[in-house]
Amino acid sequence: AGGRELEWEGRDLAVEAPALGLSNLTIAEVELLLALQVLDSLCLDLTETGDPALEQLKWWNCPVKLVAVAGERGFSIEARQAFSQWHVAYLRAGGLRQEQGEMPKPPGLRTMITLFTQMQGVSHLDLADVGEPTISDEVMEELVTAIRDKKSVIVKSEETGCWATLKKTVSCITQYCWPQPEEEEEAGPIVLEHLNISRRTMSVEALRKVGELFVENEELKTLIVSPIAARQARNPTPTRVYRAMQELELQPPPNPDLQCQLCCQLACIAIRGTSVKRVRLLGFDLTPHWAEQLFNAMRASKSMEELTIHLLNHLPDSERVLSRKMASLDLPSACFPRNGDGPTPQFDDSWAAALSALLSMCSHLESVDLSGHAISDPGLQQMEEAMASHPTLLNVNLDGNRITDSGCAQLSEVIRRGKNLQQLGVSNNAIRGKGAESLAKAVLERSQSQTLSPCLATLVLAGNDIGDAVMQSLASAVGVLRHVDISGVQCGNEGLRCLGSAVQNSTAIEHINLARNRFDDTGMVAFAAAVSMNKSIKVLSVEGNQALMDKGAVELAKAIMAANCMIDLDLSGCAIKDEAASVLASVVGNVDIERLGISNLMITDDGFEPILNAFKRHRTLKEVHLTGLTIDIEKKAELLKVMSGISTMQKVTLSLADYPTMIERGMTCLDTHHKPLKGWAGVLANIALVCTQLTRLDLRKGGFGDVGAASLAEGLKDHKQLEMINLSDCSITDVGAGSIAGIVAKTQEVILERNSIADEGAGFISDAFASEVAVTESLKLSNNAVQDAGAQKLAGGLLATECLKRIYVSGNPIDTEGAKALADAIRDSGCLQMIDFAGTKLEPEAVVALINALRSSAEKCLHVSVPEQWTEIKIGMEKLDLHGRCLTDKWAGTLGAILNACPKIQNLDLWGSTVCRGAAHHLAEMVCRSRSINGVKGPLVRLGLKDCKIGDDAACELADALENCHSLQRLELNGNEIKDPATKKLALSLQRTTSGLVDLNLWRNEIKNEGAIAMAKAFQTHRTLKILNISQNLLTDAAGFALADAINARIQDKIPIPSKSQLDVRGSRFSQEVVDKLGESAGLGRIQLLVDPA
């Protein structure tokens, strides 16, 4: 009775603790355990035993007090009475029998709920797969009510140890769904702790009800549901929600509507009822309602930190990580991808409540960007409270929405109440005079408030049709702002006069944007008078006012000089001519301007001259924009030279060959986008002077010739090292090559293709490689005029440098002598890895010399025409494709050189090539010899000679070679005019050798019965040949009988037939008798037979 290890009919029963968990107990084993009386609690899986075990427990008057019950075979009503004697810790019942011998019937969920209410101390309730597949709202209400009304069971003090041990045992046998306790639990009242209602369909309302129960009842530690129903997923994985969880991720369900709602509801339950920190809902098309629910749940949670969702659509770029501590919420419509050709996704008024909840959730938010959406006045009304009451919000951007004058009432409240609001953007909406007046009034009231500080600093009203009528009211607000943008608001002369009156004595205004309005010189004269008296305006833009001419520009320039505080002035796109240019030059010369925009003015060379002279004296300028000015190339070149001497200069924008080009001092790449640059030599040189950090320069198709090349070299002479320079199609000759040779040497990749560089220019470049600063790794001289003399000079340069790895000379008129010189260079060079001769019509002798030069290194590579078609040759290559070549006697030696130089070729394809007898001889040598170079063997695995018309003589030579080749597995000889003699020779070779040939293709030749009979004998004895294709030949019944007899003989001699063997005799003239015999033989040998009907 005191033992802890027992053996019963060969089964070991280990009793290590007062509580024991066992499954599939026999009745005898239950009797034994009870007779020993060593257990205080018992955890039983009664799946197999059912009623008999319960009856034994009942009638033996066992001392067991705590039981876990699970039964798939069902319990009778009489047996169920035994449950009331124990505390049933775990309940998962299957069918319930009503009468003796009756098969169990699925208990309804209501029956299970009744059973649950009758039992004492149920802590684990498992209703998965019980009853009907759908749980209705009414049944869910009954279950929730039963759980709420269930009274806890107090465990007696003498039973507390047993209870704790039993709970561990229950967790052990049910670990597929219940979480293990993280720490030792103290015994207490027995309450429901784990509820499993997975693998069934339910409505969102039903899930909400049980979710409320989980959130309210903290004693319920685990809830298991299936947001994806069992019928909609092959292997649905139940989702477990438990109190201590840290992360939750839900994948998109197959039903995008109902199941998406269930997943969102489950996420809300987890956020509200657990300590989850991160929730990921990826791939869902969230509706505004569920987005609002999620945001509100996250705001109420104390632990939730991050929510990852897709907004507006489920495309990857719509993914957003939302954190309650995020400082910036950037959701402009431009950042959301379109679904195919559909419209740009936008937030509309239906999203207003969700966006309000999102703003409230992000308590540390400082900036909100909702530009480009479809939010109108009703939506703004819902969002008003969230924006106005936010404690940290500084910047609100609502540009490009659908806000009208009515919505400005809500925006006005946001301005008045926003505790820290600094910036409001409502450009390009539908705001008119009344709305602008309302905003202006709110700005003034806030500036006078004693409780809100600081006042609004920035107001962006650009693109709204405001007009002059309310400009006086708006102007009063401008005086208390730091930055106001009223570009494109239809402001005329009267409005500009009112604005001038407001800013005249303002000490706050710093930035005014008046671009694209309707005022002319009259309005500007009045405004300029106010500017002259203001000492705070630093940034002013009047860009795009086409009615503003010289008179207004002169008055504005005088005002700026009088105030002497402007640092950013943009006059681009105005009708300013040479008359005002001298006054503008005075502004540049006397005011510390940092940014100046004078693009698209009507200034000529004469008007630009004083401005250019002013630039020479200026020392604070950082940016100049002058695209579209009608000034000549020399003036632009001189401007760039002046800019290079101003240490503060960072950016210049000008028109380069009618293409707007931004030149930045720190830029590393300049691409002129294939623009013709003939005559722009000075500009290019001075660009190089300004951009001292250039590493990549792409001037292809510039066409600037030798003069431009010389100027460019002068500008780049102080650059230490370049990564790439592309001067292809630039009309450079030998003279230009001499100018840029020094630049070439200190550039890693040089592209000089399609120029007119000949031998002398090649010599200049070659000499540069001998310099100590040479770093060139790639030189492209394709399609120039380099001949043998130039190639010989390049060869000398290759040996003088230790950096050059790749040289391209394809398309040059280089002949044998030049190719041989370069071949010697690639052989002796320790760094050169690749030389490109593709497109150069070399003689075979020169190609052979180049190929032999590759042998000095397995890493070296050659691009060459063999013949007249591009071919890549590398010592270590395993595949060589020479299809469609004309390998006449002249090129036979070249093929031999390639095969000798590349010992690792495994796959050789000459499909469609014309193979002469000499070339075939080299192929036969390759097949028969066992090569070994530096201890490395190169076995040929496949030889493709389809449609090469090699004839009988060459085929016989290949047949002799097969006797010595043990590596060839696939031989393609289809379409080669092979007749019976060569076929018999080939068959004889297969009979004599132990080669590993697997696939032999003789399709579409001129083979008759004699050759086929010989091939049948080879097929009979060869052990590795599994695919024989002799289709589309001249075969009759004699050949068919021979093939069938060969298969039968092979079976009789017990010679193994390889798996997946195939015999193709389609196109033969066989009788039905032969077809049947072949079919019977092939079936016995498990050979796939391809044959036409008789």
Side-chain angles (χ1 to χ4, degrees), residues 983-1031:
T983 306
K984 292 167 65 178
K985 185 78 171 177
L986 187 61
L988 187 60
S989 296
L990 291 177
Q991 288 178 276
R992 290 176 180 174
T993 184
T994 57
S995 71
L997 193 65
V998 174
D999 186 345
L1000 177 59
N1001 193 335
L1002 292 168
W1003 170 63
R1004 201 162 44 82
N1005 279 286
E1006 299 176 13
I1007 303 171
K1008 297 182 180 180
N1009 289 341
E1010 187 177 354
I1013 292 171
M1015 190 56 64
K1017 293 180 180 179
F1019 190 64
Q1020 175 183 338
T1021 59
H1022 200 281
R1023 290 182 174 271
T1024 62
L1025 187 62
K1026 61 187 297 184
I1027 300 176
L1028 176 60
N1029 187 345
I1030 52 175
S1031 61

Side-chain angles (χ1 to χ4, degrees), residues 28-307:
E29 288 165 350
V30 173
E31 293 176 352
L32 173 65
L33 293 174
L34 296 175
L36 293 175
Q37 296 187 355
V38 296
L39 298 176
D40 295 318
S41 62
L42 182 64
C43 183
L44 298 177
D45 182 349
L46 303 177
T47 301
E48 298 296 332
T49 52
D51 276 358
L54 283 175
E55 292 170 1
Q56 292 296 325
L57 293 174
K58 176 181 179 182
W59 299 116
W60 273 80
N61 295 319
C62 68
V64 177
K65 298 297 184 183
L66 306 171
V67 181
V69 179
E72 298 299 336
R73 298 180 61 183
F75 307 118
S76 65
I77 296 177
E78 183 181 21
R80 285 164 52 193
Q81 297 175 0
F83 295 160
S84 60
Q85 300 179 20
W86 310 302
H87 298 154
V88 183
Y90 171 63
L91 175 60
R92 178 172 60 85
L96 298 178
R97 291 198 300 270
Q98 301 298 324
E99 297 180 4
Q100 187 70 24
E102 183 183 356
M103 293 299 294
K105 297 179 181 179
L109 283 169
R110 284 190 167 92
T111 304
M112 289 301 300
I113 294 171
T114 302
L115 192 60
F116 165 72
T117 57
Q118 292 175 354
M119 294 181 178
Q120 301 183 42
V122 177
S123 63
H124 293 63
L125 179 57
D126 189 345
L127 299 179
D129 291 327
V130 173
E132 54 275 6
T134 300
I135 180 169
S136 65
D137 294 355
E138 293 78 11
V139 172
M140 183 63 80
E141 181 67 32
E142 293 176 17
L143 175 62
V144 170
T145 302
I147 294 173
R148 283 198 175 111
D149 295 343
K150 184 77 171 181
K151 296 181 179 180
S152 61
V153 176
I154 304 301
V155 180
K156 299 179 181 179
S157 59
E158 61 272 15
E159 297 177 347
T160 54
C162 296
W163 175 241
T165 307
L166 177 66
K167 291 177 69 175
K168 288 184 178 181
T169 311
V170 170
S171 297
C172 181
I173 70 167
T174 61
Q175 59 183 352
Y176 71 95
C177 60
W178 308 117
Q180 294 282 2
E182 297 182 356
E183 56 187 17
E184 189 73 22
E185 296 185 6
E186 296 181 358
I190 304 176
V191 296
L192 184 65
E193 298 180 3
H194 307 286
L195 174 62
N196 186 351
I197 51 174
S198 62
R199 296 184 178 273
R200 61 180 65 257
T201 305
M202 66 185 71
S203 69
V204 178
E205 177 63 20
L207 183 58
R208 184 191 65 79
K209 290 179 180 179
V210 75
E212 288 181 354
L213 171 69
F214 179 77
V215 173
E216 296 169 2
N217 187 357
E218 295 184 358
E219 294 172 337
L220 184 58
K221 297 179 180 179
T222 305
L223 174 65
I224 302 179
V225 297
S226 294
I228 302 176
R231 295 180 179 179
Q232 296 177 329
R234 179 171 297 177
N235 293 307
T237 302
T239 301
R240 188 182 70 191
V241 178
Y242 56 99
R243 299 291 177 184
M245 69 188 304
Q246 298 292 303
E247 295 187 4
L248 174 65
E249 179 171 346
L250 296 174
Q251 297 296 329
N255 185 332
D257 184 17
L258 173 62
Q259 304 304 324
C260 177
Q261 298 180 48
L262 289 171
C263 288
C264 292
Q265 181 68 72
L266 184 59
C268 291
I269 293 170
I271 294 172
R272 291 180 181 274
T274 73
S275 57
V276 67
K277 295 182 178 180
R278 289 169 291 277
V279 173
R280 293 169 60 84
L281 290 171
L282 300 183
F284 294 92
D285 282 330
L286 279 185
T287 63
H289 167 76
W290 285 110
E292 180 186 2
Q293 295 297 314
L294 288 168
F295 298 152
N296 284 329
M298 186 171 177
R299 180 179 60 173
S301 172
K302 296 180 179 179
S303 61
M304 187 67 177
E305 296 177 359
E306 286 185 1
L307 174 64

Side-chain angles (χ1 to χ4, degrees), residues 734 737 757-767 781 786 789-791 793-794:
D734 288 346
I757 301 173
D759 294 344
E760 186 178 3
F764 290 141
I765 295 172
S766 178
D767 293 340
L781 280 171
V786 180
K793 293 177 181 179
L794 285 174

Side-chain angles (χ1 to χ4, degrees), residues 757 781-787 808-814 839-841:
I757 301 173
L781 280 171
S782 302
N783 299 300
N784 276 279
V786 180
Q787 300 183 26
Y808 300 78
V809 290
S810 61
N812 284 282
I814 299 174
T840 303
K841 296 182 179 180

Side-chain angles (χ1 to χ4, degrees), residues 516-517 519-520 542-549 572-576 602:
R516 299 178 301 281
N517 277 292
F519 54 79
D520 55 22
V542 292
E543 175 260 328
N545 286 284
Q546 299 178 0
L548 179 60
M549 306 179 72
S572 302
C574 297
I576 300 174
M602 299 179 181

